[in-house]
Amino acid sequence: MDTVSKPSMLQQFRDSYGYPATGAWAAPGRVNLIGEHTDYNGGLCLPVALEQRTLVAVALRSDGVVRVHSRQSDETYTGPIGDIAAGWAAYPTAVLWSLARRGLPLGGIDLAVDSSVPVGAGLSSSAALTCSVALAVNELHDSPFTREELVQICIQAENGVGAPTGGMDQTIALFARPSTALLLDCLDGSTEPIPFELHGAGYELIVIDTRVKHSLADGQYGLRRSQCVDAAAALGVGSLREASADQAETVRDPILRARARHVVTEIERTRKTAELLRSNRFSDVGELFDNSHASLRDDFEVSCEELDVAVAAARRGGAIGARMTGGGFGGSAIALVPEGSHAEVIASVSRDFAARGWREPHFLGVVAGGSAARL
């Protein structure tokens, strides 16, 4: 449940800066149902927006100064507009840098930030932050950029702080619709809303946050991305979206062959999942989730012991399918569960974590929410 509210944000801003904010904006975190590490390969992915959001309260300045206060760190960053900060303030200041590079005249800004999106859980807390800031600043300047352009601005911002992200996270944050998933074709940027009414179909989706923190800027994400580029070059195609499963098996280097195999099979799994959801065939999605996790674990090698244990325990507890979600190397798994049986799944995962002496994971129920907006 989202505990961050507009009144609390406006009060946080006043407490931090001594005067009222102009307004407050919010953008959601996301969970990707399937289609992992396909976005930067021109493939398909199928995210849903979460109810958990990042909120920003904002007011413009005219002195060339940016100040950012975060309730999560209880610190305030102060610096010149256009500079990218170090540490936690890098993402919001990178958005301002990216907007300025697109020609937006920025005189200065005060920001207060709060969030209910778990950080480091693979639920796109960074895109929730960048998109909320970008939308707020854009609207306070009479919206010179479209939402499609804001997606590119936020991608540039994250790239600017060393996270070579694709466009999935920013697109779902800015284009989500309630009660739907968003089938995103990363080759041409087109989107299609896919019905995602879990309770009407008799299912629940649980996010299992392993509380193992990861960072997309730690080098592994970038390495996988460069390996995909190398695999595409070995096949003589512009991106792995253009390759077939049979072609992927012809890559001579065994590591690049495994990376290509994951991408081409994951794109097909995403296509099939969308087809099943259109027909309300939730019961058939579970196998695709299981196969996706195996591919991410074995071919793309971005899982970890905690994610593997969470997935296996969820299945034993009654989930019809489970998989890691997000960039990997920690973060979260998702489990598709018959309605009313989430307690058994949670208990199974908790027992297996406790038996290994690991911290208790966090669990979130998913309700597909809407896109970034002014509150």
Side-chain angles (χ1 to χ4, degrees), residues 15-364:
D15 291 344
S16 300
Y17 302 121
Y19 71 99
T22 302
W25 285 257
R30 67 97 186 96
V31 63
N32 192 27
L33 297 179
I34 198 164
E36 224 64 77
H37 289 276
T38 57
D39 54 350
Y40 53 81
N41 286 291
L44 303 174
C45 49
L46 191 62
V48 297
L50 298 172
E51 287 187 307
Q52 286 76 17
R53 302 172 295 167
T54 294
L55 274 66
V56 296
V58 186
L60 298 180
R61 302 167 61 97
S62 59
D63 57 0
V65 171
V66 57
R67 296 188 293 181
V68 188
H69 179 269
S70 169
R71 180 166 284 167
Q72 276 60 55
S73 67
D74 200 27
E75 296 177 2
T76 300
Y77 163 83
T78 302
I81 196 82
D83 283 5
I84 298 179
W88 64 269
Y91 287 98
T93 55
V95 171
L96 303 177
W97 165 81
S98 184
L99 287 165
R101 284 172 64 91
R102 296 293 185 105
L104 190 68
L106 298 175
I109 192 165
D110 282 340
L111 294 163
V113 179
D114 197 4
S115 182
S116 59
V117 182
V119 176
L123 303 177
S124 196
S125 59
S126 58
L129 176 56
T130 58
C131 289
S132 59
V133 172
L135 186 64
V137 177
N138 188 54
E139 291 190 0
L140 287 176
H141 288 83
D142 299 321
S143 300
F145 301 111
T146 65
R147 289 200 173 209
E148 289 83 0
E149 289 171 324
L150 290 179
V151 167
Q152 297 305 315
I153 286 166
C154 290
I155 292 172
Q156 183 182 51
E158 294 208 40
N159 292 168
V161 299
T165 176
M168 173 180 64
D169 299 346
Q170 298 80 11
T171 300
I172 188 66
L174 287 163
F175 288 96
R177 300 183 189 180
S179 301
T180 64
L182 193 67
L183 181 62
L184 171 60
D185 188 326
C186 298
L187 191 62
D188 60 14
S190 61
T191 60
E192 178 189 351
I194 304 294
F196 193 67
E197 277 285 5
L198 283 165
H199 297 304
Y203 290 94
E204 301 174 53
L205 187 70
I206 300 172
V207 174
I208 306 164
D209 176 5
T210 65
R211 302 174 72 189
V212 178
K213 303 304 181 185
H214 75 289
S215 169
L216 296 185
D218 68 359
Q220 289 297 325
Y221 183 100
L223 174 61
R224 294 303 185 280
R225 187 165 182 163
S226 66
Q227 289 170 336
C228 290
V229 171
D230 291 344
L235 290 170
V237 296
S239 73
L240 290 176
R241 172 67 178 276
E242 303 171 43
S244 68
D246 288 341
Q247 285 177 308
E249 295 303 325
T250 67
V251 178
R252 296 182 66 179
D253 182 279
I255 293 177
L256 298 185
R257 182 167 62 247
R259 305 298 189 250
R261 182 190 303 125
H262 165 72
V263 172
V264 298
T265 58
E266 185 79 348
I267 290 170
E268 183 58 26
R269 283 187 289 269
T270 305
R271 192 190 318 275
K272 289 180 179 178
T273 300
E275 291 175 1
L276 292 171
L277 292 179
R278 289 190 197 100
S279 304
N280 203 34
R281 293 168 58 191
F282 280 80
S283 60
D284 296 326
V285 170
E287 183 179 0
L288 295 171
F289 277 20
D290 292 343
N291 293 341
S292 173
H293 183 77
S295 181
L296 287 158
R297 181 192 63 214
D298 300 335
D299 284 339
F300 221 66
E301 296 183 283
V302 292
S303 189
C304 63
E305 186 180 4
E306 290 86 354
L307 286 169
D308 294 342
V309 167
V311 165
R315 292 290 276 116
R316 285 197 306 275
I320 68 167
R323 60 180 291 273
M324 59 155 281
T325 186
F329 309 106
S332 296
I334 56 174
L336 187 61
V337 177
E339 194 165 24
S341 63
H342 62 272
E344 292 87 346
V345 172
I346 289 171
S348 178
V349 175
S350 296
R351 279 195 303 270
D352 277 24
F353 271 54
R356 289 164 173 79
W358 296 342
R359 289 192 300 169
E360 174 79 7
H362 289 162
F363 300 92
L364 299 173

